[in-house]
Amino acid sequence: MSAARHAAPVHPDRWMRVTPEGLYVEPGGFHVDPVRPVDRAVVTHGHADHARPGHRHVLATPATLAIMRQRLGEGAGGSLQPLGYGEAVRVGDTTVRLVPAGHVLGSAQVVIEHGGARIVVSGDYKRAPDRTCAPFEPVPCDVFVTEATFGLPVFRHPPDHGEIGRLLHSLEVFPERSHVVGAYALGKCQRLLTLLRAAGYDRPVYLHGALLALCELYRGFGVELGELRPATVAAKDELRGAVVLAPPGAIADRWARRLSDPVVALASGWMRVRQRARQRGVELPLVISDHADWDELTRTLRDVGAPEVWVTHGREEALVHQATRMGIRARALALVGFEEEGA
């Protein structure tokens, strides 16, 4: 039997490292979600803090590439290589697969194999059901790279159908008032729409202009959103008692003043923190997140069964401590440049 077959796996810390651009896979010659333009990038999903412009070559799921083309135009990348879920491709001396992350449409975990070892870079993910994207798929691995956006025990997200129920109850109590809901353009907006439809709300939903294009893109990928209308051209009386979705930054500015005595809501995992809701003038905080909460993070560590975990961004110290208590070697990578979009 050859010496190569007896060789011990090459641990990922010998071939993946943190650079100023982000995580670099040396034997593959590529970065994962680089924060600066690079020669080769593998992109987990289309949010702006992960899908940056200016890379020479980009590999991602077809939906993520479509989102990047829409949001970044020619900046999406010099050449764009689609890779479907579960397909494997050789990149340098590595094998790369993309599997669902359950975060937004097209979101993926990057499964990288080299030297007999497997590392999974999960990107952003959640475990809660979501009709707008494929569910998270646990992949056994030697090292699991995880986010920790909500990596504190205080963050335990309630069931999303209950939060939508609170919005529908408010519509019943205040039928004369518009309900303007702050929602990120990619992922959160479309998820809210599918939750409303699943709860039986079949009236038109009005959208801020900044949300319309991505909703059409989701429809192109087969996600049914119901009847949508642009809010900017609707009469004030038409918006009375209606649901209006808008970017979070628009719910308290001049754009919202044209609405009929609006109930201001915001859908985000951060709405668990009452002070954040008060600071933003939110009357109806909806705790609906596209990131894993504390229980989902710790459950995922158990599900993937990795003996080692690297934490990329968020509440790193708490999750590192918890992983250690679970008998998992853990360390923080302290990556910078990742924000709250889609929280």
Side-chain angles (χ1 to χ4, degrees):
M1 202 172 283
S2 69
R5 293 184 65 180
H6 286 291
V10 181
H11 193 278
D13 65 8
R14 294 177 57 187
W15 47 269
M16 176 179 277
R17 56 189 171 88
V18 176
T19 70
E21 292 75 25
L23 281 175
Y24 181 60
V25 181
E26 193 163 353
F30 64 88
H31 290 79
V32 180
D33 289 347
V35 297
R36 301 177 186 175
V38 297
D39 184 58
R40 296 184 67 89
V42 177
V43 175
T44 61
H45 65 283
H47 279 142
D49 56 336
H50 292 256
R52 311 272 181 155
H55 307 310
R56 185 176 176 185
H57 180 90
V58 176
L59 184 148
T61 64
T64 292
L65 293 179
I67 291 165
M68 291 180 69
R69 282 192 294 266
Q70 184 175 104
R71 295 186 122 188
L72 301 174
E74 293 184 359
S79 67
L80 306 178
Q81 180 180 355
L83 187 66
Y85 290 136
E87 298 176 3
V89 64
R90 290 292 293 177
V91 182
D93 290 330
T94 69
T95 299
V96 174
R97 284 189 296 129
L98 301 179
V99 298
H103 179 52
V104 297
L105 179 69
S107 61
Q109 305 171 76
V110 185
V111 182
I112 308 162
E113 298 186 57
H114 171 73
R118 175 188 292 166
I119 187 168
V120 174
V121 183
S122 59
D124 290 339
Y125 65 94
K126 69 173 179 292
R127 304 300 299 273
D130 183 345
R131 294 170 180 83
T132 71
C133 60
F136 180 93
E137 179 181 314
V139 178
C141 54
D142 300 292
V143 175
F144 183 64
V145 183
T146 181
E147 61 147 310
T149 302
F150 293 110
L152 290 172
V154 68
F155 290 112
R156 288 183 164 94
H157 305 323
D160 51 21
H161 61 82
E163 296 299 283
I164 286 295
R166 294 176 56 237
L167 172 59
L168 295 176
H169 177 70
S170 183
L171 285 163
E172 292 178 3
V173 174
F174 304 109
E176 75 288 351
R177 300 178 67 185
S178 303
H179 284 62
V180 57
V181 184
Y184 290 99
L186 172 57
K188 189 65 62 63
C189 169
Q190 297 79 21
R191 186 177 175 203
L192 287 175
L193 288 167
T194 60
L195 286 168
L196 282 166
R197 302 314 185 192
Y201 187 82
D202 57 4
R203 296 171 56 189
V205 176
Y206 294 83
L207 300 186
H208 185 286
L211 306 183
L212 289 166
L214 279 170
C215 286
E216 288 306 309
L217 185 147
Y218 266 65
R219 281 174 160 165
F221 279 88
V223 180
E224 180 52 53
L225 303 174
E227 184 179 355
L228 307 177
R229 296 180 183 177
T232 48
V233 297
K236 188 172 183 178
D237 285 345
E238 188 180 349
L239 298 174
R240 194 182 305 275
V243 175
V244 182
L245 302 186
I251 59 176
D253 69 7
R254 271 188 308 179
W255 181 87
R257 293 176 196 166
R258 62 187 299 274
L259 303 177
S260 178
D261 186 21
V263 173
V264 177
L266 179 60
S268 169
W270 296 114
M271 290 297 96
R272 172 64 77 186
V273 182
R274 292 182 181 178
Q275 184 178 1
R276 286 210 179 199
R278 287 195 297 267
Q279 287 173 343
R280 303 194 68 162
V282 174
E283 182 177 347
L284 181 62
L286 302 173
V287 186
I288 300 175
S289 176
D290 286 330
H291 292 257
D293 67 3
W294 177 257
D295 290 334
E296 292 173 337
L297 288 167
T298 56
R299 169 190 164 196
T300 302
L301 298 189
R302 290 191 295 269
D303 286 351
V304 300
E308 188 167 343
V309 168
W310 299 350
V311 185
T312 55
H313 60 280
R315 276 58 185 170
E316 297 169 331
E317 291 183 3
L319 192 58
V320 166
H321 177 70
Q322 178 64 21
T324 303
R325 291 183 60 189
M326 296 167 64
I328 302 169
R329 296 190 303 276
R331 63 186 175 102
L333 296 182
L335 294 182
V336 297
F338 296 99
E339 309 297 336
E340 296 179 5
E341 187 180 10

